[in-house]
Amino acid sequence: MNVLIGQTLELARGLRREAEEVIDLRPFLEDVAAPHPRVRVEVAAPPTARVAPLALQRALRNLLENAARYAPERPIDLRAETSPAACGSACSTAVPASPMTASTG
């Protein structure tokens, strides 16, 4: 636990920058959503994105925990999709940006 806290503080202070990786979004999002049975995961093509995995995992877990806490009776949708309107010039790169949304349905 102390290691996680230390890493989080380093990232927050900007002392350590996590390397970006190309990941397969479906298994990544399914793993993040696994503790929450009400989460429905949807990944539109292309299914990969260049991300800082630990930072994204922390952010999504926080969002899902808040959704579960504050909307306890509603389904939670976690959706990743790419569109030129959402990512602008990043969509022209080899690995498009993938905006992700979490909503309660």
Side-chain angles (χ1 to χ4, degrees):
M1 183 64 153
N2 287 334
V3 171
L4 180 60
I5 292 169
Q7 289 172 345
T8 302
L9 289 173
E10 285 178 5
L11 286 170
R13 291 182 188 131
L15 299 175
R16 184 174 144 212
R17 184 170 176 97
E18 181 184 0
E20 291 185 347
E21 300 174 25
V22 175
I23 63 165
D24 187 347
L25 288 171
R26 182 167 309 282
F28 180 84
L29 296 179
E30 287 172 348
D31 182 56
V32 170
H36 305 281
R38 292 183 295 123
V39 175
R40 298 179 297 207
V41 174
E42 179 185 337
V43 178
T48 61
R50 181 177 303 280
V51 301
L54 293 176
L56 180 59
Q57 182 182 59
R58 272 193 298 272
L60 290 174
R61 284 188 174 157
N62 185 34
L63 288 172
L64 293 175
E65 287 169 8
N66 286 336
R69 181 179 303 123
Y70 296 112
E73 301 300 321
R74 305 198 59 182
I76 302 168
D77 296 322
L78 181 58
R79 185 172 53 244
E81 58 188 34
T82 301
S83 71
C87 62
S89 62
C91 287
S92 64
T93 63
V95 180
S98 295
M100 295 181 205
T101 58
S103 64
T104 54

